[in-house]
Amino acid sequence: TEPAFDAVAVSFVSTASDVKEVRKIIKASGRKLKLIAKIESRPGIKNITAITREADMVMAARGDLALTYPWVDLPKAVQKIAAASQKQKKQWIVATQVAEGLERFGFPTRPEICDLAHWAQTGAGALLSSETAFGPRPLRVIQCTKIILDKWYKKP
């Protein structure tokens, strides 16, 4: 039977070898699944070019990256993911809290809107947020995010 999913996201990818190893497992299963490399550490950023080359997509896991980078350097780490994805002409995903304002105000805050638009302009093809899983207005988060992506998304 076909799986109920079409991609596998691999956590804490540090090297292209990590991607290749999971790719072998997917191939052995006989499934055709996309492989998303979650970048959550300094080694992942260091090897981002090779990882992006091997993966179908990459995910910038800003929450975990924030644990290994000084807060002021976090944007630089995410920019490296965006740049490597753009160079390989691949979409990438931002995973973080992107719409907390919706939980309090029913609408994203101005900084959240600008943040979403910025990442959409750098080719982020998807934005994952805790608000869609745990927030009181998951549908509203998706609707607002879609509006911003539709207006600002720049295809890699």
Side-chain angles (χ1 to χ4, degrees), residues 17-66:
S17 298
D18 295 340
V19 177
K20 290 176 184 178
E21 190 64 31
V22 175
R23 184 96 51 210
K24 287 180 197 174
I25 294 167
I26 292 171
K27 186 174 181 179
S29 76
R31 305 289 185 188
K32 292 189 185 279
L33 300 171
K34 291 189 184 236
L35 195 150
I36 303 166
K38 291 179 69 178
I39 308 302
E40 303 166 271
S41 66
R42 285 181 181 269
I45 296 295
K46 180 182 173 195
N47 298 310
I48 192 60
T49 299
I51 291 168
T52 304
R53 202 175 293 126
E54 294 297 326
D56 296 306
M57 292 178 78
V58 293
M59 181 186 302
R62 294 196 308 187
D64 287 310
L65 277 170

Side-chain angles (χ1 to χ4, degrees), residues 76-99:
K76 184 177 181 179
V78 178
Q79 284 180 326
K80 287 181 179 184
I81 294 169
S85 298
Q86 288 173 330
K87 188 172 183 179
Q88 297 294 322
K89 298 195 182 317
K90 294 185 180 181
Q91 288 185 334
W92 63 285
I93 300 167
V94 177
T96 191
Q97 294 163 305
V98 292

